[in-house]
Amino acid sequence: MTDSRKLDRRQFLGGVAGAMLWGASPGEAQVQLSGPRLWYRQPARQWVEALPVGNGRLGGMVFGGYPVERIQLNEDAVWAGDKRDRNNPEGRAHLAEVRRLLAEGKPLEAEDIVERTMIAIPKRLPPYQTLGELTLTFPAGGEVSDYRRELELETGMARVRYKVNGVTYTREVFSSAVDQVLVVMIAGDAVRGVSLEAALSRERDAVVRASGADGLMMSGEAIARDEAHKDEPKAGMKFNALLRAIADGGSMKVEEGKLKIQGANTVTLFLTAATDFHYSDPEAACQRFGVAMNKPYAGLRRAHMDEHAGWFKRVDLKLGGPEIEGPTDERLARLASGEPDAGLEALYFQYGRYLLIASSRPGTQAATLQGIWNDSLAPAWDSKYTTNINVEMNYWPAETCGLSEMHEPLFDLLESTRENGTRTAAELYGARGLVVHHNTDIWGDAVPVDGVRSGMWPTGAAWLALHFWQHYEFTRDREFLTARCYPMLRETAEFLLSYMVEDADKRLVTGPSLSPENAYRMADGTVARLCMGPYLDTEIAWALLGRAAEAALTLGVDEDFQKEALAAREKLPALKVGKRGQLQEWREDYDEVDPHHRHMSHLFAMYPSNQITLRGTPELAAAVRKTLELREDNDIGWSMAWRACLYARLGQGEDAHRCVAGLIGQNANPDLLDRCWSNKPVPFQIDGNLGGTAAVAEMLLQSHAGEVELLPALPKDWAEGSFRGLRARGGLEVDMLWRGGKATAATLRAHSDGQHRLRAPKGQTIASIRSFGASVPASAGPDGTVPVRVAGGRTYMLSFS
């Protein structure tokens, strides 16, 4: 259909004039055009070069091609499989025997029994799948010149601009959280210069039909048909995707399963999608979302930009060094060759924030291994939720980087496991409370999956529950503490209290369990994984039992539970330093089969937890440092991000920066999405991006050790810079400016009342603190920190010696 809600193509293509069309002043237009962005001189040739857009639920990967544009599509509930009981009924009867064999030093016999009797039926969880693709085919002809493809992080807008036969064409793509629609706008600066064919498709299990004279409707079902899921029922989420178009001028028709438009001035495409996970009639839901096309494009665009920028602009980061310009892929290549680019590192930090905003919003599903962007029906590791590091790492930057609300889908995810998790705890272990093993999915599955080598790890829910406490620590939201945080802490703590058993030393240990995905070598040469009491479990239990008791104390409830939790924590094994000076990973000082293993599970106590701190437990911190030296750097993206966070906690800015620069230089694809292995473009894993963002924040601000430390791990390459809006525990928002490696000013904005201890950067002291023009006492105590009491709503200005 043609529509009078048209857009003047000259305004659409023009810089300041175009911005004024959307309601911005010329000054605002200049600000919008100078924000952080990724840009390129050529279209994407493969998926790992495409640019991601998303609203938390509906995502697209924009290739920017000519004469064929490809936008790969995702909807966050397109999962195969269904809700079912996957518990192995034989498991509980063999639990005592497995524990006995492990205590007797017979892990291989124990592993054989676990594999046969305790791993889920079927062994694999179902995958998250692609929704399909939107393909736009333009008339071919003529050389392409003046090509530019970009993603503007501040506004969530992907753009493509190029010239063919003297005509300049521009496309804009965004996924609106306000209107729940993915929008594509195409314009040319010649009268009636836009013609195209639009098609929806999926590799299989979907059909496309006409939807009126201006649209296409795709209907399908997410079914896992690959060999790895041969035991999975051939059923899954039913879905619909609706494409509609508005053309200014020209003609439009649906023919041969395609939407064909000829001779338009501008074309606006609207893509909506829904599944029967949320809607009994997903087709009707798509039609309801489709009402967005009744709004003027200018209004849709402005509403999206304002909403997205409202999240993104909470934090700003500038890192000094020579200003480097040029396309993102060219800068990336130079960084990989050893050329410093602090600006690219700042861009990578902000890109991680962008990805979290685009893939995890209140009310959506949590970000998977790939956020919401997955082009496969059988993705690596099923693109699900891996709880032994990966999904937690996805949310490491949520609180520190001003995106606390984006944490909510993770809380929803763990709460969705309650039904299955309590059943598995009871049926498999005879335990109270809630358990999740190393993977879960949209169905809230909690069983041990894949096999004994990775699946028999029962502390996934306990680790995830600590994110609830972290959210409370940063926000001081007492209602959240009461309604969601404490109940989850208690449920997961109840599992540990009823699941742990005493070992020969009368210490409480978990088991059967393992140190995620790692193996040890016994004195007789036996290589095994299964064990009792791996130190990751002990460290999680130490953190969880303490937080649960503290939450109960804060709320003034459950005194008996507080005592039980703290008494159990006292019976946990003490952390040990091994024969090489390293922190032990297992109760015995075993040799590692892979000395450079990607997982550093036993260093959890240093980061993300705080059982080990640089000044509070210096001997254990030294053992962490030695462990990192022995493990060495590797080519695994998320593993390098974790190393950077650990080095930041150790105050080793140069090492942390080496890991961040390596993460970007060796593991970033051309579109800066992280690849798991440095020598393979796929699989993409979003945890590397988000862990890298968390590491940068940790290098600049820390608050885990009972104090707010400013610039704790500043590297030489960041000798000048500033940040605005990073968050510290206790409801503090912090801005900082530094020059020559020294802080020159800082601002604290208190969102709640509280007492804090402030630690100045190395070699500096806090000279003064002022609030509303009045001085605040700023005398350092024996530990070198300055105690300060803040009032919610007030701002405090710091100066440094």
Side-chain angles (χ1 to χ4, degrees):
M1 69 188 221
T2 18
D3 200 284
S4 60
R5 294 160 289 173
K6 59 187 177 182
L7 174 69
D8 187 292
R9 58 188 176 277
R10 290 168 298 178
Q11 291 178 312
F12 177 71
L13 293 165
V16 174
M20 292 177 69
L21 175 71
W22 315 124
S25 69
E28 288 174 324
Q30 294 301 321
V31 171
Q32 289 171 2
L33 291 171
S34 64
R37 69 190 62 224
L38 286 64
W39 74 276
Y40 307 84
R41 292 192 173 104
Q42 68 285 330
R45 293 163 296 179
Q46 53 185 334
W47 191 87
V48 293
E49 298 176 12
L51 296 174
V53 296
N55 64 8
R57 186 183 71 87
L58 192 61
M61 291 289 285
V62 182
F63 283 65
Y66 171 83
V68 178
E69 167 67 289
R70 173 187 173 196
I71 302 177
Q72 185 266 316
L73 303 169
N74 287 103
E75 201 274 353
D76 71 351
V78 179
W79 286 71
D82 57 7
K83 190 175 182 65
R84 59 185 295 193
D85 183 1
R86 298 172 182 270
N87 287 287
N88 193 321
E90 297 184 48
R92 186 175 176 183
H94 294 273
L95 178 61
E97 182 184 8
V98 168
R99 285 173 169 167
R100 176 184 60 78
L101 289 169
L102 290 172
E104 292 174 356
K106 301 175 181 177
L108 298 185
E109 293 178 38
E111 289 178 7
D112 179 65
I113 294 172
V114 168
E115 189 71 48
R116 289 185 289 104
T117 68
M118 301 181 82
I119 299 300
I121 303 173
K123 288 186 176 183
R124 288 285 291 270
L125 293 181
Y128 171 58
Q129 293 188 338
T130 179
L131 172 65
E133 295 199 358
L134 168 61
T135 304
L136 308 178
T137 303
F138 302 94
E143 292 292 322
V144 174
S145 63
D146 300 338
Y147 183 94
R148 181 182 173 103
R149 176 172 59 103
E150 69 176 23
L151 176 65
E152 189 175 65
L153 304 185
E154 186 175 297
T155 61
M157 303 286 290
R159 295 189 185 90
V160 180
R161 182 177 297 191
Y162 57 92
K163 184 179 289 187
V164 175
N165 295 329
V167 180
T168 298
Y169 294 94
T170 300
R171 303 176 210 150
E172 286 191 337
V173 185
F174 61 90
S175 185
S176 169
V178 178
D179 292 288
Q180 289 300 308
V181 61
L182 188 147
V183 182
V184 184
M185 179 71 180
I186 306 110
D189 66 356
V191 175
R192 299 187 179 278
V194 178
S195 298
L196 61 90
E197 293 184 356
L200 289 176
S201 64
R202 193 172 193 262
E203 182 180 337
R204 64 166 188 255
D205 303 320
V207 295
V208 179
R209 69 179 192 275
S211 178
D214 62 352
L216 302 171
M217 176 69 77
M218 182 168 67
S219 306
E221 186 172 5
I223 300 175
R225 299 185 184 276
D226 57 298
E227 179 65 20
H229 293 91
K230 62 183 179 182
D231 297 324
E232 190 69 33
K234 298 301 179 275
M237 221 73 79
K238 294 179 174 61
F239 61 84
N240 288 82
L242 173 65
L243 177 69
R244 291 209 182 280
I246 293 176
D248 171 25
S251 64
M252 183 182 343
K253 62 181 178 180
V254 177
E255 186 176 77
E256 299 173 337
K258 297 179 181 180
L259 186 60
K260 299 183 178 182
I261 300 170
Q262 290 288 329
N265 295 313
T266 62
V267 175
T268 309
L269 302 174
F270 302 84
L271 188 287
T272 67
T275 75
D276 64 353
F277 185 75
H278 290 299
Y279 304 97
S280 58
D281 186 345
E283 180 172 337
C286 286
Q287 299 287 2
R288 289 195 298 274
F289 289 138
V291 301
M293 68 183 294
N294 296 324
K295 300 181 180 181
Y297 177 71
L300 282 169
R301 184 181 191 271
R302 171 52 62 191
H304 159 73
M305 291 171 69
D306 287 348
E307 191 273 346
H308 178 91
W311 302 112
F312 187 85
K313 291 171 70 174
R314 286 180 176 180
V315 171
D316 183 58
L317 174 64
K318 292 180 174 59
L319 297 176
E323 187 68 25
I324 298 176
E325 298 181 353
T328 304
D329 51 343
E330 295 178 16
R331 294 175 67 182
L332 184 61
R334 290 195 294 268
L335 182 71
S337 69
E339 182 178 322
D341 190 344
L344 183 60
E345 291 161 359
L347 178 66
Y348 190 86
F349 166 84
Q350 288 287 41
Y351 189 47
R353 295 184 66 251
Y354 168 86
L355 292 172
L356 189 58
I357 294 168
S359 65
S360 180
R361 295 290 194 95
T364 73
Q365 302 303 311
T368 73
L369 277 171
Q370 295 177 278
I372 55 171
W373 302 281
N374 162 39
D375 66 337
S376 176
L377 299 175
W381 303 292
D382 303 317
S383 191
K384 51 187 183 293
Y385 303 109
T386 303
T387 67
N388 63 18
I389 178 60
N390 311 92
V391 72
E392 291 90 350
M393 186 179 287
N394 285 358
Y395 290 90
W396 282 356
E399 302 297 336
T400 56
C401 296
L403 298 174
S404 187
E405 295 87 348
M406 308 311 163
H407 221 156
E408 291 183 20
L410 187 69
F411 308 146
D412 296 339
L413 175 67
L414 185 54
E415 289 171 342
S416 77
T417 69
R418 272 196 170 107
E419 180 183 349
N420 290 329
T422 53
R423 181 192 301 123
T424 297
E427 293 183 7
L428 187 58
Y429 300 115
R432 308 186 305 272
L434 170 65
V435 65
V436 172
H437 291 79
H438 93 298
N439 270 278
T440 188
D441 54 20
I442 198 171
W443 310 106
D445 281 308
V447 286
V449 297
D450 295 345
V452 67
R453 295 163 64 92
S454 58
M456 200 62 208
W457 179 73
T459 48
W463 189 343
L464 287 170
L466 293 171
H467 279 253
F468 287 66
W469 178 255
Q470 184 186 47
H471 181 72
Y472 170 70
E473 279 190 302
F474 277 86
T475 64
R476 294 302 181 193
D477 183 344
R478 194 175 178 92
E479 182 179 348
F480 175 81
L481 177 67
T482 302
R484 302 186 75 178
C485 178
Y486 176 59
M488 184 55 69
L489 292 174
R490 173 148 188 178
E491 286 178 71
T492 49
E494 289 280 9
F495 171 74
L496 290 178
L497 290 170
S498 56
Y499 168 74
M500 292 189 296
V501 294
E502 287 188 348
D503 67 2
D505 298 325
K506 303 299 181 182
R507 293 291 174 180
L508 287 175
V509 295
T510 60
S513 187
L514 47 78
S515 190
E517 303 178 32
N518 205 356
Y520 59 89
R521 180 176 286 107
M522 301 173 69
D524 64 0
T526 298
V527 173
R529 285 173 169 79
L530 210 61
C531 65
M532 296 295 289
Y535 269 115
L536 171 61
D537 288 7
T538 297
E539 293 162 8
I540 290 174
W542 185 91
L544 179 64
L545 295 173
R547 268 68 161 182
E550 185 177 349
L553 178 64
T554 302
L555 295 173
V557 298
D558 299 337
E559 186 175 346
D560 289 344
F561 169 74
Q562 295 177 45
K563 293 177 180 177
E564 182 184 11
L566 293 177
R569 191 167 82 154
E570 289 299 311
K571 292 186 67 175
L572 295 173
L575 303 183
K576 290 183 181 179
V577 178
K579 55 181 175 285
R580 293 172 294 164
Q582 89 287 6
L583 194 70
Q584 283 188 201
E585 189 162 356
W586 297 274
R587 291 279 278 131
E588 301 296 327
D589 193 8
Y590 294 124
D591 289 333
E592 297 167 308
V593 176
D594 178 4
H596 309 304
H597 198 269
R598 61 194 178 277
H599 282 263
M600 293 162 293
S601 303
H602 54 312
L603 305 190
F604 168 93
M606 185 95 197
Y607 186 95
S609 191
N610 64 349
Q611 186 176 357
I612 300 175
T613 62
L614 184 60
R615 298 176 185 86
T617 56
E619 292 184 3
L620 292 175
V624 169
R625 183 180 296 110
K626 184 63 175 179
T627 303
L628 288 168
E629 291 173 2
L630 293 169
R631 283 284 166 99
E632 300 180 349
D633 296 347
N634 61 24
D635 68 344
I636 307 294
W638 62 262
S639 184
M640 288 294 284
W642 196 353
R643 282 165 164 79
C645 291
L646 287 160
Y647 278 124
R649 285 277 172 96
L650 289 167
Q652 297 178 213
E654 299 307 315
D655 291 307
H657 179 250
R658 184 189 70 249
C659 292
V660 168
L663 168 66
I664 303 170
Q666 73 177 11
N667 286 89
N669 282 306
D671 60 3
L672 295 190
L673 292 179
D674 174 71
R675 52 181 178 248
C676 183
W677 292 284
S678 64
N679 61 347
K680 300 176 184 178
V682 292
F684 149 59
Q685 281 190 216
I686 201 172
D687 45 17
N689 289 99
L690 298 169
T693 292
V696 171
E698 204 70 22
M699 293 164 72
L700 301 174
L701 181 69
Q702 294 178 16
S703 62
H704 63 285
E707 58 188 49
V708 178
E709 186 171 4
L710 307 171
L711 303 182
L714 189 70
K716 294 176 182 177
D717 281 1
W718 300 352
E720 296 187 0
S722 66
F723 66 77
R724 174 182 54 78
L726 293 182
R727 304 299 177 108
R729 290 164 178 80
L732 279 184
E733 185 177 348
V734 183
D735 305 342
M736 281 209 72
L737 177 68
W738 64 95
R739 293 289 180 267
K742 300 292 183 182
T744 57
T747 301
L748 311 179
R749 285 182 293 281
H751 294 280
S752 60
D753 297 347
Q755 180 77 31
H756 299 273
R757 293 188 297 125
L758 309 179
R759 185 177 293 280
K762 298 169 186 174
Q764 293 187 268
T765 59
I766 296 172
S768 68
I769 304 175
R770 300 185 67 81
S771 180
F772 294 105
S775 294
V776 176
S779 299
D783 64 352
T785 63
V786 174
V788 60
R789 178 168 292 280
V790 301
R794 292 181 69 107
T795 299
Y796 299 82
M797 313 297 292
L798 279 61
S799 65
F800 300 89
S801 62

